[in-house]
Amino acid sequence: MTDVQTPATHSAPGVLSRIFRTEQDGAPGDGHEQVVLCHDRSSGLKAIIAIHSTALGPALGGTRFFPYASEEAALEDALNLSRGMSYKNALAGLDLGGGKAVIIGDPNKDKNEAMLRAYGRFVESLRGRYITACDVGTYVQDMDVIARETEFVTGRSPEHGGAGDSSILTAFGVFQGMRASAQARWGQPTLRGKRVGVAGVGKVGHYLVGHLVADGATVVVTDPFEAAVNRVRAAHPEVEVVADTAALLQAKLDVYAPCALGGALTDDVVAALGGFGTSIVCGAANNQLAHAGVEKDLADRGILYAPDYLVNSGGVIQVADEIDGFNFERAKNKATKIFDTTLEIFTRATADGVPPAVAADRLAEKRMREISALRTVLLPGARRA
């Protein structure tokens, strides 16, 4: 870690100590270039911006608005998510690094214009090292507000020159990854006749359900929010709904798609999936593996895991396209390539005798390493990154 900034606050010694321990003990998030603690007392804003890497370019990643139990928990999430964005952007072929931000609070109660604009000013203060977008708890209309204070924001509404809802291509990309997984496992790039369980049908999950139903899959869903379930039922009355994730895991699934928050693939969940004969795990959630070693457990049980940051990169492909003037068809064509990249990862994993998650990490790290090396060559008239 090269830089820790604490603008406008002196009230987070616990968070600061956690940052420095991260550097010392090699915990998840080690190696971050910059962590910024943001506190605006007048609006009540408390946020953390984590820049993991700018090896490939400015750090792009969304802003999560969530009622964390503590600043420590918020920091840990920001560090993990920003690291994941470095790998996601690298594997997607983007000239962008990895970053992420979290705002501490309940978006249904605490979010307001002043808070979002204060946050936008913190983003602007980084002068383009970090570009933000939507994530859990933030929406297109929020990006429009943030954009009133900074130019370094994507995922804005089409009325404001933006790409709109990035969940659309996120779901499309996950579906491409799932089709590739089906090709690798069953020899055909289709989910027709397969039983697919979707855990979380909010922003991305409900779009994914639509792709699966159109492809001929039998779909089972669960979500703790009744409104999300009702929206899916209204659009697709043939979809089966179960009470919770435990019930979903017992639904004799061919494919399990975690599409809510991270850490979904715990030891117990993987054991349940193996016990009930699930063949593929492919979903939209970030940081699905609860801890190191889960990827090997999945492989040992014969479950094909499509790395999360690979298959859910359609959203970042969409908002990245906005930087140079958004064109939906161009972005969709890029997201379609997730199918080919997923097959490549499976092929590399088999050849190297490693789980797909390890093969994906190696390929992303290779690209970051090779492209960042070019920065040592100073072009005439160019500034060093």
Side-chain angles (χ1 to χ4, degrees), residues 73-344:
L75 174 64
E76 184 172 4
D77 204 26
L79 294 175
N80 287 333
L81 290 167
S82 57
R83 181 182 184 276
M85 289 304 304
S86 291
Y87 283 72
K88 180 185 297 189
N89 293 340
L91 213 55
L94 301 174
D95 291 332
L96 293 163
K100 205 79 171 187
V102 299
I103 297 176
I104 302 171
D106 184 340
N108 297 315
K109 298 178 180 178
D110 302 326
K111 188 192 300 180
N112 57 61
E113 179 187 352
M115 181 181 289
L116 292 174
R117 293 184 68 160
Y119 170 67
R121 293 177 71 83
F122 280 109
V123 172
E124 180 67 20
S125 73
L126 293 172
R127 299 178 181 272
R129 280 180 52 78
Y130 170 66
I131 303 169
T132 196
C134 300
D135 198 77
V136 174
T138 59
Y139 300 88
V140 169
Q141 57 267 34
D142 299 326
M143 296 304 110
D144 286 343
V145 175
I146 292 168
R148 295 172 72 175
E149 300 294 340
T150 180
E151 63 179 295
F152 304 111
V153 54
T154 59
R156 295 164 295 170
S157 67
E159 293 80 5
H160 289 81
D165 185 3
S166 62
S167 301
I168 295 171
L169 286 191
T170 303
F172 177 76
V174 173
F175 180 59
Q176 298 310 309
M178 202 177 289
R179 290 179 60 246
S181 301
Q183 171 75 50
R185 179 48 52 98
W186 299 305
Q188 294 292 331
T190 178
L191 283 304
R192 180 171 297 279
K194 302 302 180 182
R195 190 168 171 84
V196 182
V198 181
V201 287
K203 277 186 172 183
V204 176
H206 82 279
Y207 287 120
L208 178 60
V209 168
H211 290 300
L212 292 168
V213 169
D215 196 38
T218 298
V219 182
V220 188
V221 306
T222 189
D223 195 293
F225 296 101
E226 186 176 357
V229 172
N230 289 340
R231 179 171 58 169
V232 169
R233 276 179 165 152
H236 308 288
E238 69 272 38
V239 168
E240 181 182 343
V241 178
V242 296
D244 51 29
T245 301
L248 187 65
L249 296 174
Q250 298 176 38
K252 297 182 179 179
L253 305 172
D254 296 301
V255 182
Y256 176 56
C259 294
L261 296 177
L265 298 176
T266 64
D267 293 336
D268 290 342
V269 167
V270 173
L273 291 170
F276 288 105
T278 300
S279 294
I280 293 169
V281 172
C282 178
N286 287 308
N287 298 329
Q288 293 171 23
L289 304 176
H291 59 81
V294 174
E295 70 282 4
K296 184 177 185 304
D297 192 12
L298 285 162
D300 290 345
R301 293 176 183 275
I303 301 171
L304 183 63
Y305 172 63
D308 48 32
Y309 67 80
L310 162 61
V311 301
N312 69 14
S313 61
V316 75
I317 289 171
Q318 178 171 328
V319 298
D321 195 81
E322 183 180 323
I323 294 172
D324 296 318
F326 182 63
N327 180 288
F328 182 81
E329 289 305 316
R330 179 177 62 201
K332 185 177 181 181
N333 287 338
K334 292 177 183 177
T336 302
K337 296 177 183 177
I338 291 172
F339 178 92
D340 296 324
T341 307
T342 304
L343 285 180
E344 179 184 355

Side-chain angles (χ1 to χ4, degrees), residues 14-37:
V15 169
L16 285 175
S17 66
R18 177 70 179 97
I19 292 171
F20 290 117
R21 284 202 306 276
T22 298
E23 183 175 21
Q24 293 167 1
D25 64 17
D30 187 22
H32 280 72
E33 292 180 8
Q34 187 174 17
V35 177
V36 183
L37 308 181

